[in-house]
Amino acid sequence: HGVRQFRTGWSDGPEFITQCPIRPGGSYTYRFTITGQEGTLWWHAHSSWLRATVYGVLIIYPRMGTTYPFTKPHRETPILLGEWWNTNPIDVVNQATRTGAAPNVSDAFLINGQPGDLYPCSKRDTFRMSIYNDETQLVRIVNAALNTELFFTIANHKMTVVTVDASYTKPFRTKYVILGPGQTTDVIIRGARGRSGSYYMAARAYASAQGVPFDNTTTTAILHYATKKPQRSLPVMPTLPPYNDTRTATAFSRGLRSLGDREHPVFVPKTVSENLFYTVGLGLLNCPRNRRCGGPNNTQFAASMNNFSFVLPTSSSILQAHYFGQNGVFTRDFPDKPPVQFEYTAQNVSRSLWSPVKSTKVKVLKYNTAVQVILQGTNIFAAENHPIHLHGYDFYIVGEGFGNYNPRRDPQGFNLVDPPLRNTVAVPVNGWAAIRFVADNP
């Protein structure tokens, strides 16, 4: 997840997009070259919901003879945040697909595979991380959860962000980190001089959609000072932001800046030749005849971009069909803007706009095109923060805001100097995000 995969798209993972899924009992060897990336990425299964439990960290270190653009920490620890269901997650998503209802929320969140002390099943196995006085540690945080943005914090400790999605940032001090599904954040923490005892690391949901069920539990791990001083019996518990704290989430995302030094320059396109406008949100489909569906008023939920809901091919991957010139697998007519313009974030969006069209459409770009995509959240049925991931590319997040994007006013506030470089962007609830990249990876 996040590896650029220059010229090796067939090793990128998404089923029926860049490769066909690995059949039960089969095997596939991934071969690729990592170019120009340093930091924390990760890997996961990419078929259905298998990645609920099949994932791990992928760390890319500086080349031999080079080092980090910050003082090398004494130690490092990966922290993988995940979700847990008490039933087979494949059954959960299959039931949602069959009925058209929203999938059941998870039963727990995880830190390095364990829910932590606040759940009844795992206190003995809660993950523990040691730190010494005056020591610095690089903590590599991955949000491997399927569906949930997560707040992360450490009791009585500030964190300094130095990398996001394997791209270096200007140092950014923060009490809270917010990660969308798929995002990674590297932070440096320092063991305080003379301190002892234990402190909880904790994560819980950022739930921006009103009236939508979510997992409201909190996962914990323990940061333990390795000293000879007497220890407290219980770890200190941090205060986490409220579940719907959009202000804290926004402050974090807007505080990120690319490092932009000599070794890590910023190459944000100043002008673009492809200007795309994509609405993202949730729609409702009519229930097939003679069936009962689990969405509102006997409908089916459907994700939507520009009022189209994507349907996976079943006979070939899109990359394979393109390469061999196969017809009937996809069409090349995904629109550059929504077919109907409307008040995207209004409280009462017309019912005529609620039903997307199911299709397998792609957008074709010319090689080396400078591209801008405006990702506009919608308030069809329910507005929420939407994580959007782009395979094969990192992109600059040059702007974000709330309400409807204004093409005359909002570009005046774009950051074209040092915007953060990421592979996943969280489109704000009832808002928009602007990303730019060069299409240099066919």
Side-chain angles (χ1 to χ4, degrees), residues 64-87:
M64 295 290 288
T66 66
T67 187
Y68 302 106
F70 47 83
T71 302
K72 185 177 180 180
H74 296 93
R75 286 191 291 170
E76 63 176 60
T77 302
I79 296 290
L80 282 89
L81 310 176
E83 278 183 285
W84 176 264
W85 280 261
N86 287 335
T87 187

Side-chain angles (χ1 to χ4, degrees), residues 110-422:
L110 309 173
I111 294 180
N112 287 359
Q114 296 295 334
D117 288 358
L118 305 185
Y119 300 87
C121 57
S122 61
K123 193 165 185 176
R124 183 182 62 184
D125 299 311
T126 295
F127 176 74
R128 299 174 69 90
M129 182 177 99
S130 294
I131 193 169
Y132 292 91
N133 300 130
D134 288 329
E135 175 189 68
T136 56
Q137 278 210 44
L138 181 62
V139 183
R140 301 177 179 270
I141 313 166
V142 178
N143 185 356
L146 267 77
N147 302 319
T148 308
E149 288 101 354
L150 293 168
F151 289 115
F152 176 85
T153 191
I154 305 174
N156 294 359
H157 289 74
K158 282 286 189 78
M159 298 172 281
T160 301
V161 177
V162 292
T163 314
V164 294
D165 291 358
S167 296
Y168 290 118
T169 66
K170 291 180 171 65
F172 173 43
R173 289 267 289 173
T174 182
K175 184 178 180 181
Y176 303 110
V177 171
I178 175 78
L179 301 99
Q183 289 184 328
T184 70
T185 302
D186 294 354
V187 301
I188 292 176
I189 62 171
R190 177 177 290 277
R193 181 173 298 177
R195 183 175 288 180
S196 62
S198 298
Y199 302 82
Y200 276 123
M201 301 180 279
R204 76 177 184 189
Y206 165 49
S208 58
Q210 294 184 6
V212 176
F214 66 95
D215 182 344
N216 63 359
T217 62
T218 301
T219 181
T220 58
I222 296 173
L223 176 68
H224 173 76
Y225 274 79
T227 69
K228 296 181 179 179
K229 293 183 178 180
Q231 304 290 318
R232 296 188 188 93
S233 58
L234 293 175
V236 177
M237 177 62 74
T239 301
L240 281 154
Y243 296 110
N244 63 348
D245 192 346
T246 295
R247 178 178 295 183
T248 295
T250 303
F252 179 82
S253 64
R254 292 183 177 178
L256 298 173
R257 296 285 186 272
S258 285
L259 180 58
D261 63 5
R262 183 179 298 179
E263 287 75 28
H264 310 92
V266 174
F267 292 117
V268 58
K270 298 296 193 295
T271 59
V272 296
S273 51
E274 280 275 9
N275 201 341
L276 310 175
F277 187 92
Y278 292 168
T279 57
V280 294
L282 198 62
L284 297 173
L285 299 174
N286 291 328
C287 189
R289 287 186 176 183
N290 303 318
R291 276 182 57 185
R292 287 291 302 169
C293 291
N297 300 316
N298 197 36
T299 58
Q300 295 177 302
F301 284 115
S304 172
M305 297 186 76
N306 277 1
N307 211 40
F308 290 98
S309 192
F310 188 77
V311 178
L312 284 173
T314 57
S315 60
S316 168
S317 73
I318 288 178
L319 182 62
Q320 181 178 343
H322 167 73
Y323 189 85
F324 290 107
Q326 295 174 246
N327 294 322
V329 176
F330 65 91
T331 61
R332 301 169 181 262
D333 56 346
F334 188 85
D336 293 350
K337 58 184 179 181
V340 178
Q341 296 185 12
F342 58 97
E343 287 294 320
Y344 307 111
T345 58
Q347 290 299 312
N348 296 299
V349 176
S350 171
R351 290 259 176 173
S352 63
L353 300 167
W354 283 35
S355 297
V357 177
K358 299 176 75 171
S359 66
T360 309
K361 296 178 181 289
V362 307
K363 167 65 181 175
V364 179
L365 296 170
K366 291 183 179 180
Y367 178 71
N368 252 7
T369 300
V371 183
Q372 174 175 283
V373 185
I374 305 298
L375 296 160
Q376 173 70 62
T378 63
N379 196 24
I380 297 175
F381 185 74
E384 63 179 321
N385 184 294
H386 290 288
I388 302 292
H389 173 54
L390 181 62
H391 282 257
Y393 297 91
D394 293 323
F395 49 75
Y396 291 101
I397 305 173
V398 297
E400 63 176 55
F402 293 99
N404 295 340
Y405 173 75
N406 185 311
R408 291 181 298 276
R409 182 187 66 237
D410 290 327
Q412 298 175 23
F414 282 0
N415 178 4
L416 302 181
V417 177
D418 59 354
L421 184 65
R422 305 205 72 152

Side-chain angles (χ1 to χ4, degrees), residues 44-57:
H44 59 80
H46 218 303
S47 180
S48 183
W49 273 20
L50 289 175
R51 72 177 176 91
T53 55
V54 184
Y55 60 83
V57 69

